[in-house]
Amino acid sequence: MHAAVQERLIRPARNILGSLRLPGDKSISHRYAMLGAFAEGASRFTNFSTGADCASTLACMEALGARVNRLGGDAVEITGVAGRVTPANHPLDCGNSGSTMRMISGLLAPQQGRFTLIGDASLSRRPMERIRKPLAAMGARLTLTDGHAPLTIEGAPLTAIDYTTPVPSAQVKTCVLLAGLQTSGATTVREAVRTRDHSELALRAFGATLTRTIDSVSIAGPQSLHGIEAAVPGDISSAAFFLCAAALFPGSALVIDALGLNPTRATLLDVLTALGAHIAVLNLEEKHAELVGTVQVSAPAEGLGSTEVSGVLAAQLIDELPVLAAIAPFTRGGIRIRDAKELRVKESDRIALVARNLRAMGAEVAEFEDGLDVPGGQSLHGAIIDSGGDHRIAMAFSVAALRAEGETLIQGAESAAISFPEFFDLLDRVAER
Ligand code: S3P
């Protein structure tokens, strides 16, 4: 059943104060769910992502023969299939989740059987050729529908490859590694920009051996995995909305505990620091090689400065760019974003939607094929925001709305639940009105 389309009214705030602990990281939860379901034995995860995307992964893995026991709250117990899935007699529904579709395809391509993967309207528009190409080079039989989902996999043993990803993509890297895990010989993925490395860390945590160089990662298959127990770190891409909100209000003080701070994900902290926000990181520890810590943020009295996000930074910050662009009018010098063409093929065309919604709030913004220029020193007014059913657009403009004059109506607010169902409640908790 689909959640009803909802609207949310966001009132301006005076300040952001308080402390939060956030639900588990979406990227890590996907990987733990897939690997736990594929491994031998039982895994138990606490602080598992509460988002609909990770529920899609759990449901797919359940349909493939894993036993999934939701223990209540945010705990999940998974009994794995010990390396051999059972083909489902119905299509596997990946919902809105590109991670689910792209990563599971790599897991299934070397398995026995026929698998069909489907997704919602947004996912069915997203490019899938990027996974078909390397999997086909390994000998996989994967058929797309005009470059998109639905996709069908006729599983068969594969051959190892050495693959250089044409666009930086952790999902494509993971897809190839999960196929390589089950394939004789060394499979190597090379990437020009080091994308998030949760798959590498998670595969090791589940008992696999991988080797890496500065720009490549290799896995020699076949290898088997065993179940683990893990607490999923808080999601830094969800924290981004609160960190950016706090950075907008001189006098703000926000603390986020148990937050995932993997260096391939924490670039936003550097960018906020470059903008002048005060950020402190405390209590750093490692959990299954993932860094976790407490982040304190407060805003500079003189307001945020200016910055440019391009090149490697754009790839590493890809999920945080909508909220950075949405707060850019409130900086003194503006924010320039380039080399972020991938934003156009996310859950929505995020460049177009950010530009349209900023304009709806009265902002001046220049749109480019691969980015945006958002001048600083602007005042925004409340407006009707079209989230395009994209969770990060709904949340990004809820943050901009905190500093606007008048109220803002977020259409399609229910989409926040794709990654962060608690978002609006937590925003109300820390926003002083
Ligand atoms: C993700 C990788 C990124 C990111 C997505 C999650 C992942 O996508 O945008 O939200 O968990 O691997 P790409 O790998 O396609 O860039």
Side-chain angles (χ1 to χ4, degrees):
M1 210 176 69
H2 290 283
V5 173
Q6 284 171 15
E7 295 177 339
R8 272 278 180 164
L9 198 64
I10 309 288
R11 286 176 294 127
R14 282 186 293 117
N15 204 357
I16 300 288
L17 289 174
S19 67
L20 296 172
R21 182 171 278 244
L22 299 180
D25 185 84
K26 176 163 90 72
S27 292
I28 298 175
S29 296
H30 279 304
R31 286 152 173 90
Y32 283 0
M34 276 178 212
L35 298 184
F38 193 66
E40 181 169 355
S43 290
R44 188 187 275 250
F45 306 120
T46 54
N47 204 41
F48 191 82
S49 166
T50 49
D53 270 6
C54 293
S56 293
T57 289
L58 284 176
C60 288
M61 296 316 295
E62 208 168 11
L64 291 164
R67 275 218 318 275
V68 176
N69 193 4
R70 291 166 184 82
L71 300 174
D74 51 24
V76 191
E77 192 176 64
I78 303 178
T79 308
V81 299
R84 173 62 53 95
V85 307
T86 312
N89 54 11
H90 57 83
L92 298 166
D93 189 353
C94 303
N96 191 242
S97 175
S99 301
T100 306
M101 184 168 280
R102 296 194 179 117
M103 300 198 297
I104 283 188
S105 294
L107 198 69
L108 295 181
Q111 290 282 308
Q112 258 174 39
R114 185 170 202 271
F115 310 90
T116 301
L117 276 64
I118 59 171
D120 69 6
S122 152
L123 181 53
S124 303
R125 284 192 293 268
R126 297 181 63 188
M128 291 298 147
E129 178 61 21
R130 55 182 63 190
I131 56 162
R132 196 203 60 80
K133 203 168 163 224
L135 290 176
M138 296 179 82
R141 286 171 296 173
L142 189 143
T143 316
L144 305 176
T145 312
D146 223 359
H148 305 97
L151 62 87
T152 302
I153 298 167
E154 297 282 354
L158 305 182
T159 48
I161 50 162
D162 188 323
Y163 188 67
T164 302
T165 52
V167 274
S169 168
Q171 295 175 357
V172 173
K173 172 174 64 176
T174 305
C175 170
V176 177
L177 290 177
L178 293 181
L181 170 74
Q182 306 167 64
T183 300
S184 296
T187 290
T188 299
V189 182
R190 298 177 197 277
E191 46 183 9
V193 173
R194 182 181 286 192
T195 60
R196 61 191 72 192
D197 65 357
H198 303 301
S199 298
E200 295 90 310
L201 303 186
L203 278 162
R204 286 203 183 113
F206 282 81
T209 303
L210 289 91
T211 51
R212 70 173 318 151
T213 68
I214 192 134
D215 62 353
S216 75
V217 53
S218 301
I219 188 162
Q223 297 190 41
S224 53
L225 306 178
H226 57 73
I228 64 165
E229 292 205 358
V232 181
D235 194 323
I236 192 165
S237 298
S238 296
F241 301 105
F242 293 98
L243 297 172
C244 287
L248 290 181
F249 293 90
S252 67
L254 183 72
V255 178
I256 305 183
D257 286 319
L259 192 60
L261 293 171
N262 178 318
T264 62
R265 291 286 301 286
T267 311
L268 179 68
L269 301 185
D270 301 328
V271 171
L272 286 175
T273 303
L275 281 166
H278 305 300
I279 296 205
V281 175
L282 317 166
N283 310 325
L284 263 190
E285 39 175 344
E286 254 185 54
K287 292 188 175 170
H288 292 295
E290 290 285 356
L291 276 185
V292 184
T294 299
V295 173
Q296 293 178 337
V297 59
S298 60
E302 69 277 17
L304 298 173
S306 71
T307 198
E308 167 164 334
V309 179
S310 58
V312 173
L313 279 186
Q316 290 179 338
L317 265 174
I318 199 78
D319 291 342
E320 288 72 61
L321 291 178
V323 67
L324 262 183
I327 64 164
F330 307 113
T331 62
R332 282 176 289 127
I335 297 182
R336 181 173 191 267
I337 298 171
R338 287 294 188 287
D339 305 319
K341 204 167 157 214
E342 275 291 296
L343 282 178
R344 294 207 180 267
V345 290
K346 293 292 178 189
E347 287 84 328
S348 69
D349 177 342
R350 287 180 172 163
I351 292 177
L353 267 185
V354 164
R356 168 141 47 100
N357 285 315
L358 276 175
R359 287 184 187 124
M361 297 181 83
E364 185 192 315
V365 49
E367 181 179 337
F368 297 85
E369 185 52 26
D370 68 340
L372 298 155
D373 278 353
V374 188
Q378 306 194 62
S379 304
L380 270 50
H381 55 72
I384 296 176
I385 297 299
D386 172 12
S387 71
D390 182 331
H391 54 134
R392 296 203 200 278
I393 299 292
M395 294 187 278
F397 281 88
S398 300
V399 172
L402 300 174
R403 276 280 305 263
E405 189 79 29
E407 295 174 335
T408 295
L409 188 71
I410 309 284
Q411 292 184 327
E414 77 291 344
S415 61
I418 286 295
S419 59
F420 195 6
E422 304 79 358
F423 172 74
F424 291 107
D425 290 345
L426 294 179
L427 191 62
D428 275 344
R429 217 169 83 193
V430 297
E432 301 270 302
R433 263 128 182 168

